[in-house]
Amino acid sequence: MTDSKDSRHPRAKAVGKRQRLMAAASRVLHEQGVERTTIADIARAADVPVGNVYYYFKTKDELVEAALSEHTGHLEALTGRLDQLPDPRERLKGLVEAWVSGRDTAARYGCPTGTLAVELDKRAEGGLDLAVGHVIRRLLDWVEEQYRQLGMADPEELALALVGAYQGMSLLSNALRDPEIMTREGARLVRWLDGLTEQVNTPGPR
Amino acid sequence: MTDSKDSRHPRAKAVGKRQRLMAAASRVLHEQGVERTTIADIARAADVPVGNVYYYFKTKDELVEAALSEHTGHLEALTGRLDQLPDPRERLKGLVEAWVSGRDTAARYGCPTGTLAVELDKRAEGGLDLAVGHVIRRLLDWVEEQYRQLGMADPEELALALVGAYQGMSLLSNALRDPEIMTREGARLVRWLDGLTEQVNTPGPR
DNA sequence: GTCTATAGTTGGATAGAC
DNA sequence: GTCTATCCAACTATAGAC
């Protein structure tokens, strides 16, 4: 937002603030967790006066929902870029590389979507917990499609194993505060993807 | 507590209450999450008057710590039982079976230790986050030892992969509310453990 | 559309009677 | 050791001036 006082049309500033709030919500909720984050925290991070937040988001849950849709957006953007690659195997390897490139964040705060899923599961109201499930489902489906294109048997199972491995290594890396776990496990997954044709079809943890 | 008013020695009732509080804390914190759980919730679940809780645990964090040590206890008990088995491979398979047998709880509330790790990571104070790391480390070490006894190369890596797979499948199963994910992924892990010897694993002295 | 002030509620923690 | 009453801080959400 370089032009913070422009006079395009009435909407201009509003949209800017809404976007800033969404981005801030996504970041702060990930770092501090949903329950520990106050509306004031998000307002501050977005550089928006506290009271004004409620003009854009009527409840805290709506902010959480907004953060979730940010995650969805990032996921779509990533898979969209990977879809440019001609080979499904390269697409999957690109996905793993993207995960590994986020190792420092993962080691410090965990996987943004995964930790959100854990937190929202405990949050009874609003069915937000099911919404996270949809985001994860979407990733699962994309991965499954790649395996299908590779002609693998049981692509659904393989997708669960790959995404599960990512969630698992993120959690361990976070709990032990060690980004190297992401690097090592990522390398293992890439190695496994490379050897796919030779393997039967079950991806052991190796 | 059938004998709730016995007169053994002053400690008798006190120990009972403390134990009840620990067990209740462990269960309720897992189901509702740390932040959403109030002292009153735990007191109610343990059937102890609210105000009395503070006699046993001075802060909420101490209750969380107590719950964590309950988890440690369960883990020790499990590995202790598995250590009775003569074959390391059977011990690992027994571990996976134990995980799968908890599928319904995992699908509803996630892995007790894993979700706790995620939550405590966001909880700045008290270094409780590092304490969860120790529990996970302990599991990792035990698994690593089994692989070592099997003569596998890089047992540390294999331990990370196995425990990571468990954390990942718990999270996915929870996010998608599907216990079958635990069953399927568990079967895959067992299959992989069974085929271990046939697999190549870095040629060299074993 | 923007912002301040504040209402209303919840929950951790303590004081102190029994 | 047990329990009640209560203090106090924090936070969501709203009312209403500008």
Side-chain angles (χ1 to χ4, degrees):
Chain A
M1 304 306 103
T2 47
D3 45 357
S4 64
K5 206 65 186 179
D6 66 326
S7 52
R8 288 177 213 166
H9 74 129
R11 219 60 221 201
K13 245 190 108 185
V15 172
K17 284 199 182 181
R18 170 168 259 272
Q19 281 173 343
R20 259 150 55 209
L21 282 169
M22 286 182 69
S26 158
R27 196 180 72 251
V28 180
L29 288 174
H30 178 214
E31 295 177 358
Q32 308 191 344
V34 176
E35 304 295 340
R36 307 283 289 192
T37 298
T38 70
I39 308 273
D41 288 336
I42 298 175
R44 198 176 318 119
D47 199 34
V48 166
V50 226
N52 200 356
V53 172
Y54 284 94
Y55 177 74
Y56 299 97
F57 300 94
K58 276 183 282 295
T59 66
K60 185 178 177 177
D61 266 13
E62 280 189 22
L63 270 168
V64 176
E65 201 175 353
L68 190 58
S69 82
E70 284 276 296
H71 291 314
T72 311
H74 288 147
L75 175 62
E76 301 281 294
L78 175 60
T79 53
R81 278 196 306 276
L82 292 172
D83 279 332
Q84 309 288 327
L85 298 172
D87 179 20
R89 185 197 313 266
E90 291 307 313
R91 295 202 277 272
L92 289 175
K93 284 166 68 177
L95 179 64
V96 173
E97 277 156 26
W99 289 340
V100 172
S101 77
R103 61 182 172 280
D104 289 328
T105 312
R108 188 58 198 83
Y109 304 112
C111 162
T113 311
T115 58
L116 200 53
V118 171
E119 285 198 280
L120 293 186
D121 176 60
K122 315 293 189 196
R123 208 175 163 83
E125 317 101 24
L128 265 293
D129 47 349
L130 299 178
V132 205
H134 293 335
V135 181
I136 293 180
R137 175 91 273 156
R138 197 175 288 209
L139 173 59
L140 242 15
D141 288 343
W142 185 87
V143 171
E144 186 179 333
E145 174 60 22
Q146 310 311 311
Y147 280 122
R148 185 164 286 122
Q149 288 185 21
L150 279 173
M152 303 296 295
D154 212 342
E156 191 187 348
E157 176 91 21
L158 294 174
L160 276 175
L162 189 69
V163 177
Y166 166 54
Q167 289 300 335
M169 75 201 210
S170 296
L171 193 146
L172 292 182
S173 163
N174 181 221
L176 302 177
R177 289 282 203 294
D178 181 7
E180 282 313 295
I181 290 179
M182 296 290 288
T183 314
R184 292 167 57 188
E185 291 295 284
R188 181 177 65 83
L189 292 175
V190 168
R191 230 180 300 136
W192 180 79
L193 285 168
D194 267 329
L196 254 193
T197 32
E198 311 158 26
Q199 306 271 348
V200 209
N201 65 37
T202 42
R206 78 162 297 231
Chain B
M1 300 303 100
T2 46
D3 46 357
S4 63
K5 207 62 186 180
D6 65 328
S7 52
R8 286 176 213 169
H9 74 128
R11 222 55 224 208
K13 245 190 105 185
V15 171
K17 284 200 181 180
R18 170 169 259 272
Q19 280 173 343
R20 259 148 56 208
L21 282 168
M22 285 183 69
S26 159
R27 195 180 73 250
V28 179
L29 288 174
H30 179 214
E31 294 178 358
Q32 308 191 344
V34 176
E35 304 295 339
R36 307 282 289 192
T37 298
T38 71
I39 307 273
D41 289 336
I42 298 174
R44 198 175 319 119
D47 198 34
V48 166
V50 227
N52 201 355
V53 173
Y54 285 94
Y55 176 73
Y56 298 97
F57 300 94
K58 275 183 285 295
T59 67
K60 185 178 178 177
D61 266 13
E62 280 190 21
L63 270 167
V64 176
E65 202 175 354
L68 190 58
S69 81
E70 284 276 297
H71 292 314
T72 311
H74 289 146
L75 175 62
E76 301 281 295
L78 175 60
T79 53
R81 277 195 305 277
L82 293 173
D83 279 333
Q84 309 289 326
L85 298 173
D87 179 19
R89 185 198 313 267
E90 292 306 313
R91 294 202 277 272
L92 289 175
K93 284 166 69 177
L95 179 64
V96 173
E97 277 156 27
W99 288 342
V100 172
S101 77
R103 61 183 172 279
D104 290 327
T105 312
R108 188 57 198 86
Y109 305 112
C111 163
T113 312
T115 56
L116 199 54
V118 171
E119 285 197 280
L120 293 186
D121 176 61
K122 316 293 190 197
R123 210 175 160 84
E125 317 101 24
L128 264 294
D129 47 348
L130 299 178
V132 206
H134 293 337
V135 181
I136 293 180
R137 175 90 274 155
R138 198 174 288 208
L139 173 59
L140 241 16
D141 287 344
W142 184 87
V143 172
E144 186 178 334
E145 175 59 22
Q146 310 311 311
Y147 280 122
R148 184 166 286 120
Q149 288 185 21
L150 280 173
M152 303 295 295
D154 212 343
E156 191 188 346
E157 176 91 21
L158 293 174
L160 277 175
L162 189 69
V163 177
Y166 166 54
Q167 289 300 334
M169 76 201 210
S170 297
L171 193 146
L172 292 182
S173 164
N174 182 220
L176 302 177
R177 290 281 202 294
D178 180 7
E180 282 312 296
I181 291 179
M182 296 289 290
T183 314
R184 292 168 57 187
E185 291 295 284
R188 182 178 64 82
L189 293 176
V190 168
R191 231 180 299 137
W192 179 80
L193 285 168
D194 267 329
L196 256 192
T197 33
E198 309 160 26
Q199 308 270 347
V200 227
N201 60 78
T202 342
R206 39 174 354 215

